[in-house]
């Protein structure tokens, strides 16, 4: 891009987000200089959103700015860390000032809300893609990992599952659903569970964020921990709209496999239920036990009658993200 175009982009991202005392040098030099306080570990994550793959062409730039950061915040939350610094790489077909203004507004507002400072970035011309690298801080040794689950742990999730997936079906395929606006909000403006991740430090044995669907992400956690799990279908926390959809279709794709919810899935050691309830109350966010870690490997989903639920192939073909 030309110098003028770079200047244009700078305009929307100068002084973006919080001002942090541990930023020695932010935007404007060859690289940022960041001070990790003694006794803290640095946590780093990178996510890319590509137009047509991760978001629909024509998506609101303000919502995209929000989501580009939210998906990385969710990974930081899943580590039990506090977000601190972001860098942003934008690939754009052209530097459209309206689009940039909207994107910058959504991105920088969410940065401010979480005490994150934008400390650098890069812009290139090409098909629209948004990459955010986010760094966070966690007390040394206290990070939550996927590998800590133990047999007998309760499998728990934050919030509700399936709203973003059902929102995608409503938006992309015109599926008739209840609370279309609420589902659309869950899809386009996810709220990363940063407070929950922080509160789960020293409480949860293992954690992961639900970006690819409960079954897939819990599967990663089980693999890392070398354990198995059962999930109880009737315990899954569902919004009224998702509950109605599941009841009408008998298809559990949205809450089990759709992804994009950015809730946390974590495992709670036996005897810590009281602390979980206290944490849920202080967060104002439901923390729901949905299953149990088993010594036997594999992931089984059980119906209320104790029978195993097996997702129908037809359901996946019809409703799957690749349909
Ligand atoms: Mg993740």
């Amino acid at each position: 891009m030309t110098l003028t175009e770079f200047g244009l982009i700078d305009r929307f991202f100068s002084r973006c987000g919080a001002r942090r005392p541990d930023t020695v040098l932010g935007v404007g030099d060859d690289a940022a200089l960041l001070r990790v306080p003694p006794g803290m570990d640095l946590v780093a994550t990178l996510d890319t959103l590509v137009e047509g793959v991760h978001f629909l062409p024509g998506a609101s730039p303000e919502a995209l700015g929000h989501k580009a950061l939210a998906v990385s915040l969710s990974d930081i939350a899943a580590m039990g860390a506090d977000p601190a610094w972001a860098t942003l790489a934008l690939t754009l077909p052209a530097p459209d000032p309206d689009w940039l203004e909207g994107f910058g507004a959504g991105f920088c507002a969410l940065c401010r809300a979480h005490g994150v400072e934008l400390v650098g970035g890069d812009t290139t011309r090409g098909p629209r893609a948004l990459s955010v690298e986010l760094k966070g801080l966690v007390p040394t040794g206290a990070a939550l990992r996927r590998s800590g689950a133990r047999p007998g742990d309760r499998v728990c999730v934050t919030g509700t599952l399936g709203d973003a997936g059902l929102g995608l079906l409503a938006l992309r395929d015109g599926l008739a659903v209840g609370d279309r606006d609420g589902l659309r909000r869950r899809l386009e403006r996810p709220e990363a569970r940063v407070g929950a991740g922080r509160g789960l430090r020293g409480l949860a044995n293992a954690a992961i964020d639900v970006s690819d669907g409960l079954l897939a992400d819990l599967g990663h956690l089980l693999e890392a921990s070398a354990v198995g799990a059962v999930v109880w279908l009737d315990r899954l926390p569902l919004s009224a709209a998702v509950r109605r959809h599941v009841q009408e279709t008998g298809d559990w794709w949205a809450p089990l496999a759709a992804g994009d919810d950015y809730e946390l899935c974590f495992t709670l050691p036996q005897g810590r239920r009281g602390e979980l309830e206290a944490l849920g109350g202080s967060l104002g966010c439901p923390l729901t036990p949905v299953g149990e870690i088993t010594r036997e490997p594999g992931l089984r989903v059980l119906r209320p009658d104790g029978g195993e639920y097996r997702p129908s192939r037809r359901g996946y073909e019809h409703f799957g993200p690749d349909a």
Side-chain angles (χ1 to χ4, degrees):
M1 292 185 188
T2 68
L3 207 54
T4 350
E5 288 171 341
F6 272 118
L8 188 66
I9 288 168
D10 279 349
R11 211 172 78 203
F12 297 107
F13 296 101
S14 62
R15 306 192 61 77
C16 172
R19 293 272 82 84
R20 295 183 59 92
D22 45 9
T23 304
V24 183
L25 200 57
V27 176
D29 211 302
D30 293 297
L33 202 49
L34 314 170
R35 186 159 295 155
V36 177
M40 303 297 271
D41 285 341
L42 183 68
V43 184
T45 181
L46 172 67
D47 276 287
T48 297
L49 302 181
V50 177
E51 186 170 77
V53 179
H54 301 98
F55 59 90
L56 302 171
S60 143
E62 193 274 339
L64 275 179
H66 176 100
K67 188 163 182 174
L69 182 66
V71 300
S72 294
L73 283 171
S74 178
D75 279 327
I76 292 287
M79 300 300 292
D82 291 298
W85 301 288
T87 50
L88 170 67
L90 286 177
T91 305
L92 302 172
D96 171 353
D98 290 340
W99 189 91
L100 281 165
E101 187 172 6
F103 181 89
F107 184 85
C108 299
L110 192 58
C111 279
R112 277 193 301 278
H114 285 279
V116 171
E117 181 168 355
L118 182 72
V119 293
D122 189 28
T123 48
T124 45
R125 191 189 294 274
R128 201 182 310 273
L130 327 162
S131 291
V132 174
E133 197 209 23
L134 187 59
K135 294 185 176 68
L137 297 167
V138 66
T140 301
L144 300 173
R145 304 179 186 206
R146 299 177 178 185
S147 55
R150 298 288 171 263
D153 284 3
R154 279 285 187 259
V155 176
C156 306
V157 295
T158 62
T160 57
L161 296 172
D163 298 308
L166 194 56
L168 178 65
L169 297 186
L171 237 63
R172 190 192 60 184
D173 304 343
L175 186 78
V177 294
D179 190 23
R180 187 185 158 94
D181 290 346
L183 296 178
R184 178 181 191 147
R185 195 174 167 79
R186 287 292 310 266
L187 175 68
E188 294 187 341
R189 299 181 55 88
E191 295 294 337
R193 298 297 189 182
V194 177
R198 189 185 298 126
L200 288 170
R201 287 202 299 248
L203 180 56
N205 271 346
I208 188 168
D209 69 320
V210 183
S211 53
D212 297 330
L214 179 66
L215 296 186
D217 290 311
L218 176 56
H220 296 317
L221 184 150
L222 299 179
E223 198 177 335
S225 297
V227 291
V230 293
V231 165
W232 306 304
L233 217 45
D234 59 335
R235 304 279 182 89
L236 296 180
L238 307 178
S239 66
V242 169
R243 185 168 299 284
R244 195 174 323 134
H245 170 76
V246 166
Q247 281 166 351
E248 285 170 5
T249 62
D251 191 314
W252 288 80
W253 171 78
L256 286 177
D260 249 9
D261 282 319
Y262 300 101
E263 297 293 351
L264 298 182
C265 174
F266 58 95
T267 80
L268 183 79
Q270 286 169 325
R272 310 286 296 267
R273 187 68 181 269
E275 289 161 85
L276 184 75
E277 279 165 16
L279 177 63
S282 71
L283 292 169
C285 161
L287 305 174
T288 311
V290 299
E292 189 173 311
I293 297 293
T294 60
R295 202 170 296 280
E296 311 74 54
L299 173 53
R300 293 185 306 136
V301 181
L302 298 183
R303 296 177 177 282
D305 65 7
E308 192 162 340
Y309 172 80
R310 296 183 190 279
S312 72
R313 239 184 102 64
R314 190 190 146 275
Y316 275 85
E317 278 171 2
H318 184 64
F319 290 117
D322 303 321

